[in-house]
Amino acid sequence: MSFTLLPAVDVADGQAVRLVQGAAGTETSYGDPLEAALTWQRAGAEWVHLVDLDAAFGRGSNRELLAEVTAKLDVQVELSGGIRDDTSLEAALATGCARVNLGTAALENPEWADRVVAEYGDRVAVGLDVRITEQGHRLAARGWTKDGGDLWEVLARLDAAGCRRYVVTDVSKDGTLQGPNTELLRQVCERTDAAVIASGGVSSVDDLVALSKLAPAGLEGSIVGKALYAQNFTLEEALAAVR
């Protein structure tokens, strides 16, 4: 079973940035998004995870820039951020990206999301951003500022609608370089037959090797962000380790 790495390019105000635990105001800038994406392409990436943070936070859009970046890449693109209705979905798909990632809309507009995952199949993934609390596994919506319901209830609903793929993030791990939550990912893989992609917390090549061992359970790959930008390892090293 192969394991795919998706280096991330998060875009805010026209710049490639990284956040800590998804919080607005924690951005560290890394320059031109196209150059960042081309760097990962040259290093051997087969996918790039491209995020419009301004659209995700409801404070603007980098739609034209992301369409330009997608058009100039030769690798497959997963596009995320602010896709909440037919208009934004169609605009995202029109960029030529391989698939889009739904976030808040999958929680706040379940009828629309269920229709979209059924209609578009493999071109739509759903992001499940998880906070583990005393109340259980809760989903985070609206740029992680609102409660989005119980993880397992939402997972069951989306499975019934025919969702093909989930991008699962432990919010407490994202951007912290503290290692991924492999137990959460294992539990999600056990509860669904859909493919699962890990996101958040990767700090080392060892973390990626540990994640790749979950491939037989259904973990298809991992998004990698801050660890690459912080130069904890190179993408070439990471790709070699999980092959």
Side-chain angles (χ1 to χ4, degrees), residues 150 152-153 155-156 159 186-194:
D150 178 77
W152 309 120
E153 290 174 7
L155 185 67
D159 267 359
R186 183 181 288 107
Q187 289 173 7
V188 173
C189 288
E190 285 173 354
R191 301 253 194 148
T192 181
D193 291 330

Side-chain angles (χ1 to χ4, degrees), residues 101-126:
N101 190 23
L102 305 183
T104 294
L107 309 178
E108 293 188 350
N109 194 348
E111 289 181 4
W112 176 78
D114 290 357
R115 173 175 63 79
V116 164
V117 299
E119 184 176 340
Y120 289 95
D122 218 33
R123 290 202 72 191
V124 173
V126 174

Side-chain angles (χ1 to χ4, degrees), residues 128-175:
L128 299 174
D129 299 335
V130 184
R131 272 201 180 92
I132 300 171
T133 70
E134 292 178 0
Q135 287 74 43
H137 290 65
R138 307 299 299 177
L139 289 167
R142 290 275 159 192
W144 298 353
T145 61
K146 299 269 173 67
D147 183 83
D150 178 77
L151 165 63
W152 309 120
E153 290 174 7
V154 171
L155 185 67
R157 187 200 93 217
L158 287 163
D159 267 359
C163 187
R164 303 276 188 90
R165 183 172 283 99
Y166 301 102
V167 178
V168 179
T169 307
D170 178 340
V171 173
S172 72
K173 297 281 192 179
D174 191 68

Side-chain angles (χ1 to χ4, degrees), residues 41-66:
Q41 177 175 294
R42 288 191 289 265
E46 295 176 5
W47 282 84
V48 169
H49 180 73
L50 192 56
V51 184
D52 188 339
L53 286 175
D54 292 322
F57 285 117
R59 63 189 186 195
S61 170
N62 299 278
R63 182 180 290 174
E64 292 176 7
L65 173 60
L66 267 59

